[in-house]
Amino acid sequence: RLEKQYHYMINHPDVDLLFSWTNHIDQDWKFKKTFTPSRDKVIHIKKWFFRSFLLVHPTLFCKKDILERNAYDNKFMRSQDFELWLRLIWKYKFDIVEDILLDYRVPNIENLTERVNKIKKSTYWTLKALHKNMWTYIFNLNFWMFYIKTWILYLIARTPKKLIKCLVKLKDKNE
């Protein structure tokens, strides 16, 4: 993976942060799905960041000085990478290698309580990251749509368990 991304960066010196496609696997190393975001969307990340999930953090390959100047903010326990992307998408050029270079383990959370707790934690930290960077995106409609959606998930995750069970069943039925 690193060798391919290194050569890509050498051949594309204007690229600052590079990602790749992945296979998502479960805890038992069984294939779940292939994650292949469009290169056009990654290149135009300013337009697509709040509309599509585009980046798998472990595939990041970037110029050293970018992370030296833009360190992770340790205040964001569950959303350090998301908060970093919020700061970087306006400053740097993103790209993706259209090749599967990583098997990425995605835990399969069946237990409803675990799923709700994960949503509670992730939405809390995502909202903190959005608040920190709000002024950068004040006129971005997609930011505000994402912000509202995250608030709704945050509130739903704090509703009574019976309602959550109904919502999860609906979600699972639609997948």
Side-chain angles (χ1 to χ4, degrees):
R1 176 181 75 83
L2 296 175
E3 183 179 357
K4 284 186 179 184
Q5 288 180 299
Y6 173 77
H7 288 296
Y8 191 94
M9 293 283 275
I10 295 298
N11 293 324
H12 301 88
D14 58 322
V15 173
D16 298 306
L17 292 100
L18 183 64
F19 296 85
S20 77
W21 288 349
T22 63
N23 280 327
H24 287 190
I25 58 173
D26 67 13
Q27 303 89 288
D28 301 320
W29 295 88
K30 292 181 183 159
F31 175 82
K32 291 177 84 172
K33 68 179 181 178
T34 302
F35 179 73
T36 57
S38 153
R39 183 168 182 262
D40 186 58
K41 287 182 179 179
V42 174
I43 289 172
H44 298 104
I45 196 156
K46 292 175 195 169
K47 177 180 177 183
W48 290 99
F49 184 73
F50 297 108
R51 295 196 262 173
S52 297
F53 179 66
L54 300 170
L55 311 172
V56 174
H57 185 206
T59 68
L60 170 65
F61 191 95
C62 75
K63 296 175 180 173
K64 179 182 172 185
D65 64 309
I66 292 172
L67 290 181
E68 288 175 342
R69 286 182 283 164
N70 301 280
Y72 287 103
D73 189 334
N74 292 327
K75 294 177 198 157
F76 296 91
M77 291 174 35
R78 289 205 163 256
S79 60
Q80 287 179 335
D81 54 342
F82 179 75
E83 193 280 327
L84 180 64
W85 308 150
L86 286 172
R87 288 185 280 131
L88 298 183
I89 62 176
W90 290 100
K91 299 178 189 176
Y92 299 101
K93 183 173 180 187
F94 284 59
D95 204 342
I96 193 164
V97 175
E98 292 181 309
D99 193 5
I100 298 168
L101 302 180
L102 180 73
D103 287 337
Y104 184 59
R105 190 173 311 168
V106 179
N108 200 10
I109 302 171
E110 298 294 330
N111 181 301
L112 178 62
T113 304
E114 286 181 49
R115 287 173 77 177
V116 171
N117 287 335
K118 183 177 179 180
I119 292 169
K120 281 182 184 178
K121 290 174 185 174
S122 65
T123 55
Y124 172 81
W125 289 106
T126 299
L127 285 169
K128 285 185 80 69
L130 292 169
H131 281 278
K132 178 184 174 190
N133 293 280
M134 187 178 292
W135 290 105
T136 304
Y137 299 97
I138 196 80
F139 299 112
N140 184 318
L141 179 61
N142 293 315
F143 169 88
W144 291 108
M145 299 287 285
F146 184 82
Y147 181 82
I148 291 166
K149 178 182 166 188
T150 305
W151 260 110
I152 290 168
L153 281 172
Y154 176 82
L155 295 171
I156 288 172
R158 282 148 180 83
T159 59
K161 281 189 177 180
K162 285 184 181 180
L163 180 59
I164 290 173
K165 284 182 182 179
C166 291
L167 292 170
V168 168
K169 285 179 184 175
L170 283 173
K171 180 189 175 290
D172 290 346
K173 195 180 279 186
N174 291 330
E175 286 183 348

